[in-house]
Structure formats: C-alpha cells, structure tokens
Amino acid sequence: MNAPSTLSAPHNPGMDEDTFEQFAEQLTRYVRERLIPAEAEVIANDRIPDEIVNEMRDMGLFGLSVPEEYGGAGLNMTQYARVVNIMAYAAPAYRSIFSINVGMFASALKNGATEAQKAEWYPQIAEGKIACFGLTEPGSGSDSAAMATTAVPDPDGNGWILNGTKRYITNAPHADVALIMARTSKEALPKNAHVSAFLVPMDTPGVSTGSPDKKMGQSGSHISDIMLDDVRVPGDALLGGETGKGFRFAMQSLDNGRISVGAAATGYARRALDSAMRYANERKAFGEPIANFQLIQQMLADSEIEIYAAEAMMKDVTARADAGENILVKAAAFKVFASEMCGRVVDRVVQVYGGAGYLAEYDAERFFRDARIYRIYEGTTQILQLQIAKHLLREWKDS
C-alpha cells in the first residue's frame, strides 16, 4: 500500500508528539487499572458510573478533536484513532459515550459550520456536553431519498420547524445536542441537496426520546429514537447557514465515524485475543495447556495476523487523512476489514474457550455479542462494499 506523498507536510500536525505519547501512556494505564475493573458494574447496571464519565471529561476525552483555540485537545486523525483504539480495549460503552462528540459531530462542525456555530458548540462539547447524530430513520438509513423528517420555514420568524423520527441514535437518551438531518425540499434533488443539517439542543420543546432499546451487546451504551414534534429552531441552527448541504456534511463526517469504528473493532479484537491467550495457557487438557495444541495455535496466529493487518490499515488511512487526502474509499475499506476481522477473531476466541466460551460468566461470550454491531453501524459492510465499488468504477471510467 503506497504511503501518502504529502506526509512530509502534514495537513493537520495535531498535538505535539511527545505530549501525545505521554497522554497515550497515561490513558492506557487508566483503561487497564480503572475502566476494565469497572466493567462488571457497567454491565450489571447498563450504564457508566457518573464518576467515570466525569473523569473522562476531566481527561479531555470529549474534546479530543476540537481545536485548541476552542478548548479542545486538537488531535489529528492519527492521534484520535490511537486514542479510540486504546479506549476500545475496555468495554465498548466507554468509547461510545464520547465518540460521537469527537468523531461525527466535531467533524461536521469543522466541515460545514459557520464561525458563530463553531464558537457556540466547540467549547460546549469540549467541556463534556454529549452529542448525538440524527441520520437514520424507521424507513431510511443510507437511502436519503426516503428520508421523511422535514424542516420547513417557520411562518412566524426566520427559523425552521422540524417534524419526524430518528431511529437507533447512539447517546440520544442522555445527549445535550443533536445534529439532525432533515429534508428541506419535498423532491429528491441531485447530490442529496434536498437534505440539510440542523443543530438542535435536546431540551428544545417538541424534542423527546424513546426508552433505550434493549440490545444484543454493548451494555452501558444507549440508543433510542428521537421524536421531533413541531420543533422550532432559529435560523442559525441550520448548519453552515445554507440549505442543501446537510447530507454532504454528514457523509464527510462519516469518514471520521468509520475510522472510529474500525479503530474500536481493532482494539476490541486485541482485547479478545489477549483473553484467549491467557485462557489457552491456563486451561489444561490431556495434562498440558491447550496453548500447546497446534490447532489452538492456528486460531491464535490467524487472529494476530488479521489484527496486525487492521492496525497497518489504521496507520495508513489516518496518515492519509492528516495529509489532506480524500479518504472516503479507504476509510470505508478500513471499517469493513476491521469490523469483519473483529467478528472472525471473537468467533475464534469463543472456540478457544470451548464450552466455557458459551457461558456468560466468561468474557468470550460478551466479546462475541459486543463485536457484532461493528459490522452494521456507520454503514453496513454491504453498503460500504457498494460505495467502494461505485467509486472504483467511476475512477476507472475517468482514467
């Protein structure tokens, strides 16, 4: 895989490298010594303890990608993915609580917000306000032409009135602000210009959320519907101050979200493999550790090979992003490979555990359930395969 030609002149230098490495080392200790021991409580109560959320705020995790001038850490993409990868070694809920802030929401502000919008929202999310991203609906996900949520001009002022329902929205039950995609044109327009984006505080009259959905895995991470019933927002809630660009802002920010999911899947696969290594050396059969058996070794080796490949992809795609390259295809490719890889690794880990891997008292069963969603959100594997192929064919025809 070719390295970006512009790496010598990074588009986004990020945090000073020595400072970042110290932070990464501190964060690794925090994950191992604080977050992992608290996993049982998170799972039992299906929520992260408030004191841990506050600790994460104090560490600056909610503002990792917010520019320094607005109170954030100003990390570049390489550093951001490293942080997600480190955090994802622990239960997925820990990453989920801040990932929308530093991934899709902050990216949408960077790509499309006015200076006034940046000045208003960057400091708030840097200090720990929780964001959510309202794209998916009961009848539409990747199909923007089917989007039913509407935004019409408010006849009583210069604002907008929003109506509709958003589904499967991460952090919605406790979010402070949502980036809501809504159609500002009844007709589907080229390049999805019928969709605009709105910054909507969750305490705005008419905004409500459903009960958190019960899920297969990822305890402590909450999703729910967002209902919008004649929600009135001012004119400056329109992201970028211009209609017809919301979907483009959303898609650009999804590159960050896909890198985040890929980095998380890679970190969680590493956690699962480490667990399998420990179990294989402790569990004995026929008088010796099962780690001595060659077919067990094959599963461990195959997992290491695939994790290493995903780690290499992560380094490459984030370096390209920091160099200013268009990473739409490569971010999608990384997300697909890493999420599918994680699924294969956790499946092998259950197999290494044997019968114990099917029991809830062992970690392997949880790893298996938690990992399944990585292949679905921020673009299913199948949607991203179509997207990758579409761009490949377009580039081939243009060449």
Side-chain angles (χ1 to χ4, degrees):
M1 186 175 290
N2 295 327
S5 59
T6 52
L7 280 183
S8 59
H11 182 70
N12 178 7
M15 183 185 288
D16 171 77
E17 277 304 312
D18 289 340
T19 304
F20 176 74
E21 290 302 328
Q22 292 174 8
F23 173 71
E25 182 179 342
Q26 175 192 8
L27 185 64
T28 300
R29 289 198 304 271
Y30 180 71
V31 168
R32 302 304 200 274
E33 298 171 9
R34 175 68 167 132
L35 298 188
I36 289 178
E39 286 179 342
E41 181 180 355
V42 171
I43 294 167
N45 298 326
D46 192 26
R47 66 187 303 270
I48 304 172
D50 291 341
E51 59 269 25
I52 290 182
V53 175
N54 289 330
E55 290 166 6
M56 292 166 65
R57 286 191 174 104
D58 292 342
M59 293 177 71
L61 294 180
F62 287 82
L64 293 172
S65 58
V66 173
E68 291 183 75
E69 60 265 33
Y70 294 103
L75 300 190
N76 61 28
M77 185 64 75
T78 299
Q79 294 167 340
Y80 161 58
R82 278 270 311 277
V83 170
V84 169
N85 186 256
I86 291 168
M87 287 291 295
Y89 194 84
Y94 297 123
R95 179 200 72 99
S96 181
I97 194 70
F98 72 87
S99 64
I100 306 299
N101 278 37
V102 298
M104 293 185 292
F105 193 86
S107 177
L109 291 179
K110 176 184 176 182
N111 293 329
T114 64
E115 290 304 315
Q117 288 169 339
K118 291 177 183 178
E120 178 180 3
W121 288 108
Y122 267 150
Q124 293 192 56
I125 63 172
E127 71 182 15
K129 296 286 188 182
I130 297 173
C132 62
F133 192 85
L135 175 62
T136 304
E137 297 185 358
S140 72
S142 302
D143 179 13
S144 68
M147 184 176 292
T149 297
T150 60
V152 299
D154 188 342
D156 298 327
N158 69 341
W160 298 85
I161 301 176
L162 278 63
N163 282 281
T165 299
K166 297 296 179 178
R167 178 148 293 175
Y168 308 137
I169 307 304
T170 300
N171 289 339
H174 42 256
D176 300 292
V177 60
L179 185 65
I180 298 292
M181 305 299 142
R183 60 190 312 142
T184 45
S185 171
K186 292 182 179 180
E187 303 299 323
L189 300 176
K191 298 183 179 180
N192 295 294
H194 57 285
V195 181
S196 302
F198 295 85
L199 294 156
V200 181
M202 293 294 283
D203 60 0
T204 304
V207 177
S208 60
T209 59
S211 300
D213 294 306
K214 296 185 183 299
K215 311 186 306 301
M216 178 188 293
Q218 303 221 357
S219 296
S221 172
H222 297 147
I223 64 173
S224 74
D225 288 0
I226 297 177
M227 284 75 76
L228 306 160
D229 184 13
D230 285 339
V231 175
R232 283 177 160 81
V233 295
D236 59 11
L238 176 63
L239 186 67
E242 190 175 346
T243 60
K245 294 187 175 180
F247 192 80
R248 179 165 60 86
F249 296 148
M251 292 303 101
Q252 289 173 340
S253 64
L254 283 177
D255 286 346
N256 291 47
R258 287 162 185 167
I259 287 176
S260 178
V261 173
T266 304
Y268 208 49
R270 175 65 66 190
R271 167 76 181 282
L273 177 56
D274 285 350
S275 175
M277 293 284 291
R278 181 170 55 254
Y279 185 83
N281 279 282
E282 293 173 352
R283 175 76 166 90
K284 290 186 176 181
F286 306 104
E288 59 181 314
I290 63 172
N292 292 348
F293 302 151
Q294 288 183 333
L295 292 181
I296 296 292
Q297 293 173 2
Q298 180 187 24
M299 289 189 285
L300 300 176
D302 285 347
S303 297
E304 174 63 27
I305 291 165
E306 292 199 86
I307 293 170
Y308 173 60
E311 290 171 342
M313 290 180 75
M314 183 177 79
K315 289 180 181 179
D316 180 79
V317 70
T318 56
R320 290 177 182 272
D322 289 332
E325 292 190 20
N326 184 328
I327 58 163
L328 187 149
V329 170
K330 288 180 171 56
F334 170 51
K335 193 270 183 182
V336 169
F337 180 83
S339 61
E340 294 286 341
M341 172 277 296
C342 187
R344 291 188 292 269
V345 169
V346 296
D347 186 70
R348 294 186 195 112
V349 170
V350 170
Q351 199 71 12
V352 169
Y353 270 74
Y358 203 68
L359 303 182
E361 65 182 283
Y362 292 89
D363 287 338
E365 179 265 355
R366 169 167 62 98
F367 296 153
F368 188 88
R369 288 185 293 103
D370 284 346
R372 188 60 183 85
I373 190 63
Y374 290 136
R375 294 151 61 187
I376 296 174
Y377 61 16
E378 313 308 348
T380 66
T381 291
Q382 289 70 33
I383 283 291
L384 295 185
Q385 287 170 328
L386 292 175
Q387 185 182 73
I388 292 166
K390 180 181 72 174
H391 282 82
L392 286 177
L393 291 167
R394 181 184 301 163
E395 289 173 3
W396 182 82
K397 289 178 181 178
D398 292 341
S399 63

